[in-house]
Amino acid sequence: MEAITINVPVLALRGLTVFPHMNLTLDVERRASILALERAMEAEQEIFLVTQREVSVEAPEEKDLYAIGTVSRIRQILRLSAGSVRCVVEGRQRARLRRLWQATPYLQANVELLNEGGEKEARSPRTEALLRQTWNLFSEYAQMAGSVADEVAATVMDCRDPGYLADFIAQNIALRHTDKQEILEEPSPFVRLRKLNGLLARECNILGFEHEMEGKIRDQLVRTQRDQILRTQIRVLQNELGEDEDDELDAYRQKIQALGLEEETERRLLKEVDKLSRQPYGSAEASVIRNYLDVCLEMPWNQETRERVSVDAARKALEKDHFGLEKVKERILETIAVRQMNPEGKGQILCLVGPPGVGKTSIAISVAKALNRKLARLSLGGVRDEADIRGHRRTYIGSMPGRVIEAIIRGGSMNPLLLLDEIDKLGSDYRGDPAAALLEVLDSEQNHAFRDHYMEVPVDLSRVMFITTANTTDTIPRPLLDRMEVIRLSSYTDEEKVQIARRNLLPKQMAEHGLKKTALRVSDDVLRAIIRDYTRESGVRLLERRLAALCRKADMALLRGGVKRLTVTEEALPKLLDCQPYPPAVHTEKEETGVVNGLAWTESGGEILEVEVNVMEGTGKLELTGNLGDVMKESAQAALSCLRSRAAVLGIEAEFYKTKDIHVHFPEGAVPKDGPSAGIAVTTAMLSALTERKIKAGIAMTGEVTLRGRVLAIGGLKEKTMAALRCGIGTVLIPKDNVRDLEEIDQTVRAALRFVPVETVDQVFAEALVPEPDPVREEVSEHVSAFAPLGRESEPALRQ
C-alpha cells in the first residue's frame, strides 16, 4: 500500500504527548503555536502534534522535534487572553515527520500517516495473557497511586484491544514524556503493550519505595509532632509554675560565660548546654547533663582566698594551739617563710608522720588558719577504689567526681589546704590502686592540668597546699612517698602532757561539762599520776577522756549538793577513775643476778623491758621465750656468740656453751616484742647469770650489740628515757652514737637521769655489774668484826 502524506500545520509540545483516539486539553502561549492553531481552524481543522526533544527550546527546528507524532483534530479553542489560548484536541492517527518545510510565521510540515496492524495477535492466547498481566499491573498501580479516576479504571478493565489499551493507559498515568514517546513510536500493538507493562512494573516499584519512605517520614513526623506537643505542654506547665526550660539553658550559658574560663573548658561546657537543649525534657540523658553542669558550675573557678603569708602569725597560731613539737613547728614555719619570700613558687607536699593522738590533724588546721586558707579534709583510710580519687566516668549510673574535686568544691576556693588524712591506710584491689592515682595529684610538676574522669576538663591544683598524715611510712608506696617531704612527730613527754592537759584539755572539758574554773581543781601531781597510771599512749586522746570522766564526777557531786568545789587527789583517783589499768612497770629495784632492766619503744611511748636469764646444767641449749620476733631472737644469738668469743677475758667457763643450758625470758609473754635494741641488756644478763655477779640497782640500758662487742645506735631514745624516769631509774646506759639525740630529750628528763655513753660491752659490764670483792679488804673486814661489837658504834671504825 502506498504511503499517504499530507501537509499540515505543526504544534510543538513541551513535556506533553498526544496518543491516537485520545482527547487532550492544552494551553498554548507561543506566538507560532497560536498561528498554527488558527491556520488549522481555517483549513480542515487538522494539526500535527509532536513533542520537543528539549523542553527549554523556544523556537524549535526539525532537529529539535521527535520523528513520530499524532495527527489530531481541533475540537475547541478558547482564548484566555491576548497571548494565551486553551484548546481541546483529539488524536486521530500516528504520523511520521518527513520534512519541516516552514518555520515562520508558524510551523508546517509534510507528514506520513502510519497504519497499525496486529488484528490476529489481538485474539491470540499470548495477547490474552498480556492483557491479563496489564490489568493486574494497572490494578496494583491504581491502588498504590490513588489518583486514578474510576472511569479510567473501568475503561481499562473493559478494553481488549492491546494497541488502544497501551495508548489509553500511557495517556492517563503519570509517565515521563520520554517514556510516553517510546510507547507512541512503537507501531506493533503487542510490543507496545509489553513495553507499557514494563513501565507499569517500574512505576509500581517506585510507588512502593515512595510509600515506604512516606511511611517512615510520617512516623518520624508523628514522633516529632508528639515531642513538640509534649514540649509545648511542658513549657506551658513550666510557665504556670514559674519555670522555663529556655530560661534554664540561658541561665547555664550566662553562668558559664561569666566565669571567664579557659577556652577549652568554656567550649566543652557550652557544648554540653547545646546537647541538653536537644534532649527531651525529663529524659535520663538530660538529667545526667544537668548534674554534670551543676557540678562544673559549683567549682570555685578563679575564686581564691587572700593568703596571709606571715611567719609571725603562723608562729602565734601554732604556739597557741600546740605545746611542744618544736622541730615540727620550725619546719612548717620554714615552708611558710619560703612562700612569703617567693609567693609564686611551687609548694611542697608535707607528710606528717607520727603515732595516733599527737596532733597531726590539728597542726594542719592551725596552718590553714594561720595562712587564711580554707581547709578541706579527705579521709583516705580504707579507700580501695581508684575512682574515689579520679572520679567515675559519666557513662556509669550514679557517677560523681573524685574526692579531690569534691574537696575543692567543699572548700569554696582554688587555693585551699587539702588535708589527706591516713594516707598510709590506702588499699588496692581489682578496682585499681588509689595510691597510683594520687601520683599526679601530689606532683607539683603535673597537677596544674589535673583531669578528673567525671569533669573531663583540666583543673589547676598547683595553687592547692597539700598536707598528708600517716602513722607510718612503711605502707606508703615508694613513688608516692618520694613526692612528699616527711616530718616526723614523736610522742609527747609526760611533762608535755601535763602542760597540754593544764592549758588545753582540762579547760576544754570543763567548758563542755558546764563547770566553772573554780568548780574542779586538779594539781600537776594528780595529772602526772593520771598520765602514769591511767594512760598509756603517745598522744593525749586517752588523757582527755580521763579528764572528761573527772568532769562528769564533778557534775554529779555538784548536783547532789553539799559541795561547791571538787578537789582531786591522788588517793581519790582509784575511786574516781576505778582501778589502775596500767600499774607501774615490773622491774628490778634491787641488785639481782641475771636480771637487767632494758628499755623498749612502743607506739604508746617507752617502757621498761625486763630481761631474765637462768643458767642450768644441760647440753648447751639456748631457750628464748616471751613472744619474740626474729630480729630479737637473732640479737640473743649474737649476744651468746659475743660472750663465747670473750669467755677467757670475762672469767666464764670455757665449755659453758656445751655444759650449760641458758634460758632467756622477757616477761609479759603475751606482748609481742622485736628489735635489736635489747642486745646489751641480754648480753649483760647472760654474763651476770654465768658469773653469778649481781646487777646494780636503779640502772637501765639500751643498745644493739655486735659479735665483736661493739654497741650500735638505736632509735626511740626520747620515749625510752621518759619510761626510765617514770619508773624511778637513775642511770641509763646508751650507745655513744646516740649522744647527739640527747638534745631532743626534755630538759626535765636530762636533769633527772644520769646518762652513760658506751661503745663496747666491756664498758657496759664495768658500769652495770657489781664489782667483785677485794680479798684483802674482805680479810681486814673479818678481823675487825671479830673484835668490834655489832651495832652502829662499829660503823665509824669501818669507814676508817
Side-chain angles (χ1 to χ4, degrees):
M1 181 182 293
E2 186 177 355
I4 301 174
T5 60
I6 57 175
N7 291 321
V8 291
V10 178
L11 177 59
L13 303 177
R14 290 191 287 191
L16 293 176
T17 304
V18 179
F19 288 87
H21 315 295
M22 306 297 162
N23 294 328
L24 183 65
T25 301
L26 63 152
D27 294 338
V28 180
E29 295 180 352
R30 286 187 289 189
R31 178 62 180 170
S33 299
I34 295 175
L35 292 176
L37 287 173
E38 293 177 349
R39 178 70 182 91
M41 289 296 294
E42 293 175 357
E44 298 179 358
Q45 297 182 343
E46 286 189 346
I47 190 169
F48 181 61
L49 303 180
V50 64
T51 305
Q52 292 182 196
R53 295 181 182 274
E54 297 293 336
V55 179
S56 60
V57 177
E58 187 66 24
E61 300 177 0
E62 184 175 350
K63 63 180 181 179
D64 300 320
L65 303 176
Y66 283 107
I68 304 298
T70 303
V71 175
S72 304
R73 181 177 295 274
I74 300 173
R75 290 295 186 184
Q76 184 180 0
I77 290 182
L78 177 63
R79 189 174 295 274
L80 300 177
S81 62
S84 177
V85 173
R86 175 173 294 174
C87 65
V88 179
V89 296
E90 178 189 356
R92 299 293 297 273
Q93 188 176 355
R94 284 176 171 79
R96 176 181 288 108
L97 177 65
R98 300 187 65 180
R99 185 169 67 89
L100 185 67
W101 54 271
Q102 179 178 318
T104 56
Y106 56 87
L107 300 178
Q108 193 162 356
N110 181 258
V111 298
E112 177 185 353
L113 299 178
L114 300 178
N115 293 322
E116 298 184 17
E119 290 296 328
K120 295 181 181 180
E121 290 183 359
R123 295 178 178 85
S124 66
R126 186 175 63 170
T127 304
E128 184 68 23
L130 187 60
L131 286 173
R132 292 182 181 181
Q133 181 186 25
T134 304
W135 294 332
N136 292 333
L137 289 173
F138 183 80
S139 297
E140 182 181 356
Y141 173 84
Q143 183 179 3
M144 299 179 68
S147 60
V148 179
D150 293 339
E151 56 270 17
V152 174
T155 303
V156 171
M157 301 308 294
D158 290 341
C159 181
R160 303 186 65 84
D161 183 358
Y164 178 80
L165 182 60
D167 292 343
F168 183 80
I169 294 176
Q171 184 72 66
N172 288 280
I173 66 173
L175 293 176
R176 293 175 296 187
H177 72 277
T178 55
D179 295 332
K180 290 185 177 183
Q181 184 66 32
E182 183 180 357
I183 298 297
L184 182 64
E185 291 180 353
E186 179 55 52
S188 172
F190 182 83
V191 176
R192 192 187 312 158
L193 187 58
R194 190 171 58 190
K195 287 184 177 180
L196 179 69
N197 285 351
L199 295 176
L200 280 175
R202 186 195 69 185
E203 290 298 319
C204 287
N205 289 333
I206 293 175
L207 288 174
F209 287 125
E210 286 181 355
H211 288 174
E212 182 180 355
M213 294 172 62
E214 184 179 355
K216 292 182 179 179
I217 294 173
R218 186 184 302 108
D219 293 342
Q220 183 66 33
L221 288 175
V222 169
R223 287 195 297 268
T224 304
Q225 290 174 353
R226 177 177 176 274
D227 291 344
Q228 290 177 350
I229 292 172
L230 291 176
R231 285 175 182 271
T232 304
Q233 292 175 346
I234 292 173
R235 190 174 294 110
V236 171
L237 293 175
Q238 288 177 337
N239 290 334
E240 292 294 330
L241 295 173
E243 301 176 358
D244 194 343
E245 183 180 359
D246 293 337
D247 293 343
E248 179 189 27
L249 299 176
D250 293 340
Y252 276 133
R253 292 189 180 94
Q254 291 175 4
K255 289 179 181 179
I256 293 170
Q257 293 170 354
L259 290 175
L261 303 175
E262 295 182 359
E263 181 180 356
E264 177 186 355
T265 305
E266 181 174 327
R267 185 173 62 250
R268 176 60 183 269
L269 296 183
L270 290 177
K271 183 179 178 181
E272 292 294 328
V273 176
D274 294 338
K275 188 187 298 182
L276 177 61
S277 65
R278 296 190 296 269
Q279 299 298 323
Y281 188 85
S283 66
E285 182 66 19
S287 177
V288 171
I289 297 174
R290 282 190 181 89
N291 291 337
Y292 173 76
L293 291 174
D294 290 340
V295 170
C296 291
L297 292 177
E298 285 178 0
M299 279 288 293
W301 303 103
N302 301 323
Q303 295 181 20
E304 295 185 6
T305 56
R306 186 174 181 180
E307 189 175 15
R308 184 176 61 242
V309 183
S310 172
V311 174
D312 295 334
R315 179 180 285 110
K316 292 179 181 178
L318 291 173
E319 292 293 342
K320 178 182 178 182
D321 298 337
H322 300 85
F323 182 84
L325 305 176
E326 298 301 331
K327 285 197 171 184
V328 177
K329 295 178 183 176
E330 191 63 27
R331 180 62 190 86
I332 292 175
L333 292 176
E334 290 173 0
T335 301
I336 297 174
V338 172
R339 294 193 63 82
Q340 186 173 349
M341 296 296 293
N342 183 16
E344 302 299 327
K346 296 179 179 178
Q348 293 179 323
I349 290 89
L350 304 180
C351 181
L352 305 179
V353 180
V358 296
K360 300 184 294 296
T361 302
S362 61
I363 285 177
I365 295 174
S366 299
V367 172
K369 188 188 306 180
L371 294 179
N372 192 34
R373 284 178 178 245
K374 294 186 177 181
L375 177 70
R377 178 177 173 271
L378 285 75
S379 180
L380 300 179
V383 172
R384 309 179 67 85
D385 191 353
E386 177 191 357
D388 282 346
I389 305 299
R390 299 190 66 94
H392 301 80
R393 300 284 184 185
R394 281 195 292 154
T395 54
Y396 297 105
I397 297 175
S399 59
M400 62 183 68
R403 297 196 178 198
V404 176
I405 297 299
E406 186 270 336
I408 292 178
I409 294 175
R410 186 160 27 93
S413 69
M414 294 300 292
N415 65 336
L417 188 149
L418 291 191
L419 174 60
L420 308 182
D421 222 351
E422 308 293 349
I423 197 171
D424 58 325
K425 307 297 190 303
L426 284 172
S428 61
D429 57 12
Y430 66 93
R431 291 169 291 187
D433 186 1
L438 281 174
L439 294 178
E440 180 184 1
V441 176
L442 298 181
D443 192 340
S444 56
E445 299 293 335
Q446 304 179 36
N447 61 11
H448 64 278
F450 173 73
R451 286 181 180 268
D452 186 88
H453 286 163
Y454 181 83
M455 296 185 63
E456 296 179 340
V457 293
V459 178
D460 186 5
L461 300 181
S462 61
R463 293 170 287 175
V464 178
M465 183 175 183
F466 292 96
I467 294 182
T468 66
T469 68
N471 296 127
T472 178
T473 58
D474 296 340
T475 57
I476 302 177
R478 190 57 50 185
L480 183 59
L481 187 63
D482 184 61
R483 284 164 164 77
M484 302 181 291
E485 182 169 353
V486 177
I487 301 176
R488 297 191 178 274
L489 285 75
S490 59
S491 59
Y492 291 115
T493 66
D494 289 355
E495 288 304 315
E496 288 176 340
K497 291 180 181 179
V498 170
Q499 296 300 324
I500 292 171
R502 175 66 59 196
R503 297 183 182 185
N504 301 99
L505 303 183
L506 187 58
K508 175 185 174 183
Q509 290 301 321
M510 290 179 65
E512 290 183 359
H513 289 79
L515 294 173
K516 297 181 180 179
K517 293 183 179 180
T518 58
L520 178 65
R521 285 192 175 183
V522 183
S523 64
D524 289 351
D525 291 336
V526 173
L527 291 176
R528 291 188 183 92
I530 295 174
I531 293 169
R532 181 184 64 245
D533 299 334
Y534 291 88
T535 65
R536 182 171 292 180
E537 57 178 347
S538 300
V540 291
R541 286 178 181 159
L542 184 56
L543 175 59
E544 186 173 7
R545 287 195 285 271
R546 297 299 184 190
L547 295 178
L550 292 180
C551 292
R552 291 195 297 272
K553 298 294 184 181
D555 285 341
M556 290 294 295
L558 293 174
L559 290 175
R560 279 196 300 264
V563 295
K564 295 183 178 180
R565 181 176 60 195
L566 179 64
T567 301
V568 182
T569 62
E570 285 192 49
E571 292 77 12
L573 287 178
K575 181 180 178 181
L576 297 174
L577 299 178
D578 299 329
C579 61
Q580 298 179 3
Y582 306 110
V586 178
H587 66 283
T588 178
E589 297 180 352
K590 59 182 179 179
E591 295 179 352
E592 292 190 39
T593 301
V595 181
V596 176
N597 293 323
L599 296 175
W601 177 92
T602 65
E603 290 186 355
S604 59
E607 290 185 0
I608 293 291
L609 181 64
E610 201 173 67
V611 183
E612 296 181 346
V613 176
N614 271 351
V615 178
M616 301 155 286
E617 296 295 331
T619 58
K621 292 189 297 183
L622 176 63
E623 188 75 21
L624 303 175
T625 57
N627 199 358
L628 308 182
D630 292 338
V631 176
M632 209 161 191
K633 293 177 181 179
E634 293 172 357
S635 180
Q637 294 281 359
L640 180 61
S641 298
C642 176
L643 292 178
R644 287 180 57 187
S645 65
R646 306 166 68 86
V649 178
L650 298 175
I652 306 174
E653 182 182 345
E655 302 293 328
F656 79 94
Y657 62 91
K658 295 181 180 179
T659 60
K660 305 288 184 181
D661 286 345
I662 301 176
H663 186 171
V664 181
H665 178 66
F666 295 82
E668 295 189 37
V671 180
K673 310 172 189 70
D674 202 4
S677 61
I680 61 173
V682 175
T683 308
T684 305
M686 285 183 178
L687 178 62
S688 173
L690 289 170
T691 60
E692 298 184 354
R693 294 176 61 184
K694 294 183 178 181
I695 307 295
K696 293 179 181 179
I699 194 170
M701 61 187 70
T702 180
E704 181 181 354
V705 70
T706 68
L707 295 177
R708 303 294 182 182
R710 291 184 296 117
V711 179
L712 303 183
I714 47 84
L717 184 64
K718 178 180 177 181
E719 290 78 6
K720 292 177 179 179
T721 54
M722 283 191 295
L725 177 62
R726 185 168 56 246
C727 295
I729 301 296
T731 302
V732 178
L733 277 61
I734 62 172
K736 188 174 182 180
D737 292 339
N738 285 110
V739 173
R740 62 181 183 273
D741 297 331
L742 294 177
E743 298 179 0
E744 301 179 3
I745 296 176
D746 187 80
Q747 294 298 326
T748 305
V749 179
R750 292 186 62 181
L753 295 179
R754 170 175 169 259
F755 295 96
V756 180
V758 292
E759 288 186 285
T760 64
V761 291
D762 294 331
Q763 296 175 345
V764 175
F765 299 154
E767 185 66 32
L769 295 175
V770 175
E772 294 182 356
D774 188 352
V776 178
R777 180 81 173 174
E778 289 182 357
E779 184 178 343
V780 173
S781 298
E782 291 175 358
H783 177 73
V784 172
S785 63
F787 296 95
L790 297 174
R792 293 183 179 273
E793 59 273 14
S794 65
E795 291 182 3
L798 185 60
R799 291 193 186 98
Q800 293 177 0

